[in-house]
């Protein structure tokens, strides 16, 4: 319903010349102002209302001017944006529609990705990433593993430079080798571990060579030899004895040890080469003198009186042989103690009779490998007697020859304590030592002449003296010394028994 007051004032509105909007009675501001006019008295309407309206208009103008000065830039920017709003809104609507279309595709791709690269499924790319991450986390460990062959080679090289005294380096090398073997067993399908193991095997071959070379050392001690054999057992387990129930319990290590020490013995004896050459000259002189004697088969004492160089050579030879052979066999029995109690080690040798051979009748001896020590003393004896048979005939002086025979018997007694007594073989020297290079007829004739002259070989007398002296020494050592004394010449004398 239109307010009557509003209808009365409508004709007074200046709408034609103004761009202002048309005021209606429904406007809240118009309705509020008309309500206020009805409450004013007429005098106030005539005198004060126009001033109040002018004052309010001026105040509004100032407020608008202040707002314009403060918000000029914001208003201009808002106006610019508003001018492009009719173009931006369609684009925004189009993009929103496109987003609505793409969201299901994005969701499907996310589901596909989570399904493809889930930890519960197998994926080649994920496996590669896992391996790469694992390698990155274990880079230090891989570097240490790759350094193992270099460390092993360094330990072996330092051990070889320091010899058998380098216990720590050898032990370190063997520990590294054991660790690499364990890695190879655990990761046998790894090409990296296979490559490292191949390099290790090449280095261990060098270590085996160094250890074997150390067994051939000139002055190797028992402790060093035992350590070296222990290291060889770890480095080369294939040299160990097999469980075949036979008599060879030390395996190929026993043979290796004896061969190395025998090589050292031969090398040590070869240092006597200058003396041997002088002895060879005496042998040639003796043979020439014998050939000039008219083939009588016996060398005249006036024709040849040499033998000093041969005596010197044989003394040195027997001395070295006794020390080295005793050391080899005693060291062997200390390193391989099982060889002492082996029944099959009791084989028949030139210094043992057939009655002392102990065998097991229930075992086939042809299938049991012999002990390494079974024939070694026999080989040493052959080595000694070959030299004696060649050079002992050069010694013509009886005292010198008896001295050499006594030295040989001492050597036989030394080996006899280890089961290698060859004292009975001294008879072979007297029987075949005259001249082995002549015909059988000449040897038989010379043998007959010797029997006619001496009746007994020289070895018999030397053997009797040696046994008598050994008995006296044994009696003195056991504390039974009554009735014994020493002659002025330095020899022992014993009172005759009743």
């Amino acid at each position: 319903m239109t307010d009557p007051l509003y209808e009365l004032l409508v004709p007074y509105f200046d709408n034609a010349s103004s761009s202002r909007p048309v005021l209606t009675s429904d406007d809240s501001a118009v309705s509020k102002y008309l309500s206020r006019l009805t409450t004013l008295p007429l005098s106030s309407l005539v005198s004060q209302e126009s001033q109040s309206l002018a004052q309010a208009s001026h105040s509004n103008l100032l407020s608008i001017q202040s707002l314009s000065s403060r918000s000029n830039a914001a208003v201009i920017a808002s106006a610019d944006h508003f001018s492009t709003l009719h173009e931006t809104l369609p684009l925004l609507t189009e993009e929103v529609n496109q987003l609505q279309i793409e969201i299901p595709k994005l969701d499907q791709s996310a589901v596909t990705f989570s399904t493809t690269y889930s930890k519960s499924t197998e994926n080649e790319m994920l496996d590669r990433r896992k391996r790469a991450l694992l390698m990155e986390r274990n880079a230090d460990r891989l570097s240490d593993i790759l350094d193992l062959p270099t460390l092993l080679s360094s330990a072996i090289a330092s051990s070889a430079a320091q010899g058998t005294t380098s216990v720590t380096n050898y032990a370190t090398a063997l520990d590294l080798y054991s660790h690499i073997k364990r890695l190879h067993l655990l990761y046998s399908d790894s090409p990296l571990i296979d490559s490292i193991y191949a390099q290790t095997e090449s280095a261990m071959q060098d270590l085996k060579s160094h250890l074997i070379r150390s067994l051939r050392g000139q002055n190797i001690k028992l402790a060093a030899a035992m350590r070296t054999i222990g290291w060889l057992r770890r480095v080369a387990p294939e040299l160990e004895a097999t469980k075949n129930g036979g008599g060879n319990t030390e395996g190929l290590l026993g043979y290796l040890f004896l061969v190395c020490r025998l090589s050292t013995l031969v090398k040590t004896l070869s240092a006597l080469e200058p003396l041997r050459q002088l002895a060879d000259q005496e042998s040639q002189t003796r043979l020439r003198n014998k050939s000039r004697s008219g083939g009588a088969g016996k060398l005249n004492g006036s024709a040849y009186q040499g033998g000093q160089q041969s005596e010197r050579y044989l003394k040195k030879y027997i001395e070295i042989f006794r020390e080295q052979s005793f050391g080899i066999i005693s060291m062997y029995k200390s390193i391989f103690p099982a060889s002492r109690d082996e029944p099959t080690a009791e084989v028949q040798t030139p210094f043992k009779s057939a009655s002392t051979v102990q065998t097991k009748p229930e075992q086939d001896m042809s299938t049991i490998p012999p002990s390494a020590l079974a024939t070694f003393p026999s080989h040493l004896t052959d080595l000694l007697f070959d030299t004696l048979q060649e050079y002992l005939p050069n010694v013509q002086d009886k005292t010198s020859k008896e001295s050499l025979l006594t030295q040989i018997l001492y050597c036989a007694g030394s080996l006899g304590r280890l089961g290698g007594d060859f004292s009975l073989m001294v008879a072979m020297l007297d029987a075949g030592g005259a001249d082995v290079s002549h015909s059988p007829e000449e040897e038989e004739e010379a043998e007959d002449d010797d029997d006619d002259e001496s009746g007994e070989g020289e070895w018999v007398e030397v053997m009797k003296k040696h046994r008598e002296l050994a008995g006296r020494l044994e009696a003195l050592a056991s504390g039974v010394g009554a009735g014994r004394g020493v002659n002025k010449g330095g020899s022992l004398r014993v009172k005759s028994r009743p």
Side-chain angles (χ1 to χ4, degrees), residues 175-449:
D175 291 340
L176 286 173
Y177 178 61
S178 300
H179 180 62
I180 294 173
K181 284 182 65 177
R182 186 165 56 251
L183 289 178
H184 186 255
L185 291 176
L186 293 175
Y187 308 102
S188 58
D189 55 344
S190 173
L192 176 62
I193 299 299
D194 289 340
S195 175
I196 292 176
Y197 184 73
Q199 299 178 37
T200 303
E201 286 297 322
S202 177
M204 294 310 292
Q205 294 298 326
D206 296 336
L207 179 58
K208 293 177 186 178
S209 301
H210 294 322
L211 291 176
I212 294 174
R213 193 178 300 115
S214 65
L215 285 178
R216 301 174 62 181
Q218 187 67 33
N219 297 318
I220 187 171
K221 303 299 181 182
L222 176 59
M226 295 183 72
R227 285 196 303 265
T228 303
I229 293 296
W231 291 329
L232 281 173
R233 284 193 175 102
R234 293 179 58 183
V235 174
E238 65 275 6
L239 298 179
E240 282 280 11
T242 56
K243 303 299 182 179
N244 52 10
N248 186 0
T249 59
E250 67 271 12
L252 296 178
L253 286 175
Y255 294 97
L256 177 63
F257 176 79
L258 292 179
V259 168
C260 291
R261 299 314 300 162
L262 179 61
S263 174
T264 304
L265 173 60
V266 173
K267 183 179 179 181
T268 304
L269 293 175
S270 64
L272 302 176
E273 182 65 21
L275 292 177
R276 191 187 67 82
Q277 292 177 358
L278 295 176
D280 287 337
Q281 294 178 5
E282 291 185 346
S283 298
Q284 294 173 4
T285 302
R286 177 177 59 83
L287 293 176
R288 283 196 303 267
N289 292 338
K290 185 171 183 178
S291 63
R292 294 172 185 174
S293 63
K298 179 176 173 60
L299 185 62
N300 295 328
S302 60
Y304 176 76
Q305 294 295 336
Q308 292 82 4
Q309 302 300 332
S310 298
E311 179 188 1
R312 291 178 55 195
Y313 171 66
L314 289 177
K315 281 186 176 181
K316 290 289 186 181
Y317 189 96
I318 296 171
E319 181 182 356
I320 294 174
F321 179 86
R322 180 180 61 83
E323 294 178 357
Q324 295 291 331
S325 59
F326 181 82
I328 291 172
I329 298 178
S330 61
M331 196 179 298
Y332 179 91
K333 290 190 173 184
S334 299
I335 297 174
F336 305 100
S339 61
R340 300 175 180 175
D341 304 326
E342 294 174 0
T344 53
E346 298 291 334
V347 297
Q348 186 172 0
T349 59
F351 40 84
K352 290 186 180 179
S353 61
S355 60
T356 61
V357 180
Q358 300 177 6
T359 59
K360 289 185 177 181
E362 66 275 8
Q363 291 182 347
D364 185 7
M365 298 302 293
S366 62
T367 61
I368 299 176
S371 173
L373 196 60
T375 57
F376 185 71
S378 177
H379 180 75
L380 289 178
T381 305
D382 293 340
L383 181 65
L384 173 62
F385 274 77
D386 288 343
T387 303
L388 292 176
Q389 288 177 350
E390 184 176 358
Y391 297 106
L392 188 59
N394 296 341
V395 182
Q396 297 297 316
D397 185 65
K398 182 178 179 180
T399 304
S400 300
K401 182 174 288 189
E402 289 181 356
S403 176
L404 288 174
L405 291 176
T406 302
Q407 190 178 2
I408 295 169
L409 290 176
Y410 278 120
C411 180
S414 178
L415 287 181
R417 290 187 291 168
L418 302 174
D421 190 2
F422 58 89
S423 57
L424 295 179
M425 294 181 64
V426 177
M428 298 173 58
L429 295 176
D430 191 66
D435 267 314
V436 294
S437 59
H438 283 72
S439 63
E441 293 80 3
E442 292 178 346
E443 292 179 358
E444 184 177 356
E445 183 180 355
E447 204 172 298
D448 294 338
D449 293 339

Side-chain angles (χ1 to χ4, degrees), residues 126-162:
L126 284 180
D127 292 340
R128 289 199 303 268
R129 292 186 63 188
K130 289 179 181 178
R131 286 196 296 269
L133 292 175
L134 182 63
M135 183 177 295
E136 182 182 2
R137 288 195 300 268
N138 296 277
D140 295 337
R141 295 181 180 179
L142 290 174
S143 178
D144 294 339
I145 292 175
L146 290 174
D147 290 338
L148 287 177
T150 304
L151 292 175
L152 180 60
S153 300
S154 301
I156 292 174
S158 60
S159 301
Q162 299 178 14

